[in-house]
Amino acid sequence: MQSKFIWIFFIASISFSSLSYTKDFFRVSGGDLLISNTGMTHSEVMEIINNEKSFKQVSYSHYILEASVGGEFDVRLRFAGGKLIKIVSKQVGRKNYR
Protein backbone atom coordinates (compact mmCIF):
# COMPACT_ATOMS: atom_id res chain seq x y z
CA MET A 1 0.00 0.00 0.00
CA GLN A 2 2.82 2.40 0.84
CA SER A 3 4.57 1.74 -2.44
CA LYS A 4 1.34 2.59 -4.28
CA PHE A 5 1.21 6.04 -2.62
CA ILE A 6 4.89 6.64 -3.31
CA TRP A 7 4.36 5.75 -6.98
CA ILE A 8 1.35 8.10 -7.24
CA PHE A 9 3.33 10.90 -5.56
CA PHE A 10 6.22 10.32 -7.98
CA ILE A 11 3.97 10.55 -11.07
CA ALA A 12 2.17 13.62 -9.71
CA SER A 13 5.45 15.40 -8.99
CA ILE A 14 6.72 14.72 -12.52
CA SER A 15 3.48 16.04 -13.99
CA PHE A 16 3.59 19.28 -12.00
CA SER A 17 7.27 19.87 -12.69
CA SER A 18 6.79 19.41 -16.43
CA LEU A 19 3.88 21.87 -16.45
CA SER A 20 5.98 24.59 -14.88
CA TYR A 21 9.01 23.78 -17.04
CA THR A 22 7.22 24.37 -20.36
CA LYS A 23 7.08 28.11 -19.65
CA ASP A 24 10.82 28.23 -18.89
CA PHE A 25 12.20 27.78 -22.39
CA PHE A 26 11.68 28.59 -26.06
CA ARG A 27 13.19 26.39 -28.78
CA VAL A 28 13.99 28.41 -31.89
CA SER A 29 13.68 27.03 -35.41
CA GLY A 30 17.24 25.69 -35.40
CA GLY A 31 15.88 22.92 -33.17
CA ASP A 32 18.96 22.50 -31.04
CA LEU A 33 19.08 26.19 -30.10
CA LEU A 34 17.26 26.72 -26.85
CA ILE A 35 16.54 29.97 -25.03
CA SER A 36 16.05 29.08 -21.38
CA ASN A 37 15.54 31.21 -18.28
CA THR A 38 17.73 28.94 -16.20
CA GLY A 39 20.57 31.43 -15.84
CA MET A 40 21.27 32.51 -19.43
CA THR A 41 22.88 35.91 -19.77
CA HIS A 42 21.64 38.66 -22.08
CA SER A 43 24.60 38.16 -24.43
CA GLU A 44 23.99 34.38 -24.67
CA VAL A 45 20.34 34.97 -25.61
CA MET A 46 21.27 37.65 -28.16
CA GLU A 47 23.82 35.30 -29.76
CA ILE A 48 21.12 32.64 -30.26
CA ILE A 49 18.66 35.16 -31.71
CA ASN A 50 21.27 36.70 -34.03
CA ASN A 51 22.16 33.22 -35.36
CA GLU A 52 18.56 32.67 -36.46
CA LYS A 53 17.85 33.00 -40.19
CA SER A 54 14.51 34.69 -39.69
CA PHE A 55 13.71 37.00 -36.81
CA LYS A 56 12.12 40.41 -36.43
CA GLN A 57 12.89 42.72 -33.55
CA VAL A 58 9.78 44.60 -32.45
CA SER A 59 11.43 46.47 -29.58
CA TYR A 60 14.07 45.86 -26.93
CA SER A 61 13.67 42.23 -25.76
CA HIS A 62 10.56 41.75 -27.94
CA TYR A 63 10.90 39.58 -31.04
CA ILE A 64 8.97 37.61 -33.63
CA LEU A 65 10.79 34.26 -33.82
CA GLU A 66 10.31 31.00 -35.68
CA ALA A 67 9.86 28.11 -33.26
CA SER A 68 10.92 24.53 -33.83
CA VAL A 69 7.24 23.56 -33.59
CA GLY A 70 6.70 25.18 -37.00
CA GLY A 71 5.26 28.61 -36.48
CA GLU A 72 5.88 32.24 -35.68
CA PHE A 73 5.76 33.37 -32.08
CA ASP A 74 5.64 36.79 -30.46
CA VAL A 75 8.33 36.43 -27.77
CA ARG A 76 9.01 38.84 -24.92
CA LEU A 77 12.12 38.26 -22.86
CA ARG A 78 12.46 39.70 -19.35
CA PHE A 79 15.90 40.28 -17.88
CA ALA A 80 17.02 41.22 -14.36
CA GLY A 81 20.63 41.71 -13.36
CA GLY A 82 21.77 40.70 -16.84
CA LYS A 83 20.06 37.28 -16.55
CA LEU A 84 16.96 36.03 -18.34
CA ILE A 85 14.19 35.57 -15.78
CA LYS A 86 11.03 35.14 -17.84
CA ILE A 87 9.90 34.18 -21.34
CA VAL A 88 6.41 35.10 -22.53
CA SER A 89 5.48 33.74 -25.95
CA LYS A 90 2.30 33.72 -28.00
CA GLN A 91 1.80 31.98 -31.32
CA VAL A 92 0.98 34.40 -34.14
CA GLY A 93 1.34 32.20 -37.21
CA ARG A 94 1.51 28.54 -38.17
CA LYS A 95 3.31 26.95 -41.10
CA ASN A 96 1.65 24.17 -43.06
CA TYR A 97 4.01 21.36 -44.02
CA ARG A 98 1.71 19.48 -46.41
Side-chain angles (χ1 to χ4, degrees), residues 26 61-65 73-77 87-90:
F26 183 84
S61 299
H62 183 189
Y63 298 89
I64 304 295
L65 296 171
F73 283 76
D74 182 317
V75 180
R76 294 176 188 265
L77 306 168
I87 301 169
V88 179
S89 63
K90 178 177 75 172

Side-chain angles (χ1 to χ4, degrees), residues 70 94-98:
R94 180 92 177 134
K95 286 186 178 178
N96 290 329
Y97 291 106
R98 292 182 191 188

